[in-house]
Amino acid sequence: MTTTSPAPTLLTEDLLARVHARAGDYDRENRFFHEDLDDLRDAGHLRAPVPAELGGGDLTLDQVAHAQRRLAYYAPSTALATTMHLYWVGSAADRHRAGDTSLDWLLDDVVAGKVIAAGHGEPGNDTAIDDARTTATPVDGGYRITGHKIFTSLAPVWDWLGVHARDDSDPDRPRIVHAFVARDAAGVRTEETWDTLGVRATASHDTHLTDVFVPTERVVDVHDLGAGPGPYVAGVFPWVLPLLGNVYYGAGRRAVDVALEQARSRTALSLGGAPVAEKPFVQYHAAEAELLLEGVGAQLDRLTADLTAGVDLGDRTLLKLFAAKENGTRVARSVTDLALEIAGASSISRRNELERLYRDVRAGSFHPPNSDTVRDLIGKTVLGLV
């Protein structure tokens, strides 16, 4: 696999081979990737974006994006779940480099091996972090948080859960509170609900928060409902959306490469025993897949390079971030469909890696922002309505 960014050294070929060898078992057994996480932690990947002076890998957004793409090529679930950790870390690292040390406690914990997860998903909440069903009640020294979070990737192992909740203590001025909940806080409970079509190893179980106390020093932002979040929470978006696009791109690239290899080795009676790669229709599907991957790969590379270099993208910034996630996930689905056409009927066998990859990439459309939200934002932007 080639990339346009200098190859990070944290993910060695030996590590990736081990990760790849375990991916099928994790999927079949619906089991969390504990061994992968241990390997990635030992390699320094979980602290990759942390500045070097704090003990991290000092990797840029562009480098982390390519690393996650490479990891997803071998283990999509592992890459997807660790993305939910890395985007919190990346934004905190950006704040440190900007002179804001208020999140250094979090970076120190990451260097010490702690894991961060995202607690944003909620039943019936289609507004992402713009609003919340989870409640935040102000009390002396902090807040009491109560709510039900879903899709909590890394559920078996997180140490800090980044959540948002709504403070209605002033009915005339509802506010959104962003905070980190400690795993060992009273009132935190994981409900094992994750048994899904794909990305099964992410173990994205439900999390129940019942009157959980969060001290003021673990509150990272408070803003009025309808207003934008502060720089740390807002800074998550340039990390999470390109990383998601790269994860799904990596999975799609893997599916096509597996299919091409199978087409080179599988023979056809109608061709006199020659490889099915010689069939014009197989060649057509292969070309279609490559055209799609070339386009989105270039889009993702340019975006993360520009963001890393500090290029001012102006009023198209959010459009480009949304498009990176949407196109990365959509192309992954499209090329994986083509990969099955290239590889033939054997691709639906549980013994074939393509069967798992086909299921894994289906999850892409469900990550916020969903396809409806993407089109709403982009359509209004280009029409001058926002």
Side-chain angles (χ1 to χ4, degrees), residues 136 143 165-168 170 173-177 222-225:
Y143 288 87
R166 179 166 167 158
D167 171 12
D168 283 315
D170 181 351
R173 191 188 180 189
R175 312 194 81 189
I176 300 297
V177 177
V222 180
H223 61 84
D224 291 344
L225 182 68

Side-chain angles (χ1 to χ4, degrees), residues 196-254:
T196 54
L197 174 73
V199 292
R200 291 163 63 79
T202 62
S204 303
H205 301 303
D206 290 13
T207 303
H208 297 272
L209 307 171
T210 305
D211 202 32
V212 176
F213 177 68
V214 177
T216 301
E217 57 267 27
R218 297 300 176 249
V219 176
V220 295
D221 192 21
V222 180
H223 61 84
D224 291 344
L225 182 68
Y232 174 56
V233 176
V236 159
F237 293 102
W239 283 84
V240 64
L241 297 177
L243 291 187
L244 284 172
N246 274 280
V247 164
Y248 282 91
Y249 173 88
R253 175 74 266 177
R254 176 68 185 181

